Amino acid sequence: MSHGAGVCGVDRSDTRSFADLNTFAAPLDTSFAVLKVFAFALLLTGCAHLPSQPRVPPSYWGFTGPWDPQSDAAIDAHGSKLDRVITGWIGFDTTSFRPIRLYPDTIGTVAAIAPRAMALITTYFGSRFHPEIIRGLGDNAQFSAMTAGGLASLVDSGGYHGVVIDFEGMTPRDLDQLVRVTKAIADSVRAHGVTTVVIAVPAADTAAYPAALLLQSADLIMPVLYDQHWATSPPGPIAAVDWVSRNLGTRVAEVGAARIVAAFPLYGYRWRRSAPAEVISYDDARRLTTTTNTPLVRDHASGTLHAVSPEGWEIWVSDRVLVETLVREARELGVTSFALWRLGLEDPAVWNFIGS
């Protein structure tokens, strides 16, 4: 299709009018010319009414926080509305790089959840990601294969049929190691019955995380569309609508909407003048702003709830309106699968449109 072609292949660069068409058709039978014009008009009318969003109903995934009772409560109350639930957390010992189970999974074995339970495989440990683990594994094919086998055994023992691989903090120089390790893991877990392999990628970093290359071993990529501003950055929106749309659009252009699960935030941050920033839930943000009589209002530029206290703290937090807007914008791009980070921190009203 040329750059001038629009919906249904109609070339917008062709500025001929219906009168022009009649002129071209003059030598022909008049009824045929009229029919030709009518058919062309009908084509344009039909294209104009095509839905801008995909007809496929949205699919929602949810990440748990195994350390947080509120996360378990959210699954108990609303887990039936989720198509996938990431309940297992598997990481690496930062010294030996040995695979380890980071938290007990008491939710993934529940009969109602087990068929939809997935495992997160991550280098996050302590307070940060550890890219040195992937660099070390990627430089030794035998070590990488052994580690991948150990990971697959943990995935198998948990009964998971899907995994999300989250190795953030890599650079473009680490690409060979990242590809080598993710392929080894994907091959090993598939040999143990896993049917869905997903690789999480930072939203904007297409150099260190090129989606097309990573999808040679994975089924889907998951752009992490949050932490536009983060705990150690200046305060600001976590996932502004225009920022999300721009970065998700880039990923869709890379590999197509069908290969993407878009990850959106359910949480917020409270930045403090004399202490580190902290993750805050929607309920906590409401409670804090109510008790301190601080207005929590929507920042129209980003679509995010925002509050600033004279005491020196500042909040930016996700809510139903923001999440619903992000989903709508993503569906305009053709994306139909969405992951929510993290259950237990959400605006309860989010569940009014998920699964409805």
Side-chain angles (χ1 to χ4, degrees), residues 228-237 269 271 314 316:
Q228 177 185 1
H229 294 84
W230 58 98
T232 56
S233 80
Y269 283 116
W271 284 268
E314 184 171 345
W316 293 81

Side-chain angles (χ1 to χ4, degrees), residues 102-118:
L102 296 174
Y103 301 95
D105 183 3
T106 59
I107 294 293
T109 56
V110 175
I113 299 296
R116 294 172 284 140
M118 298 178 68

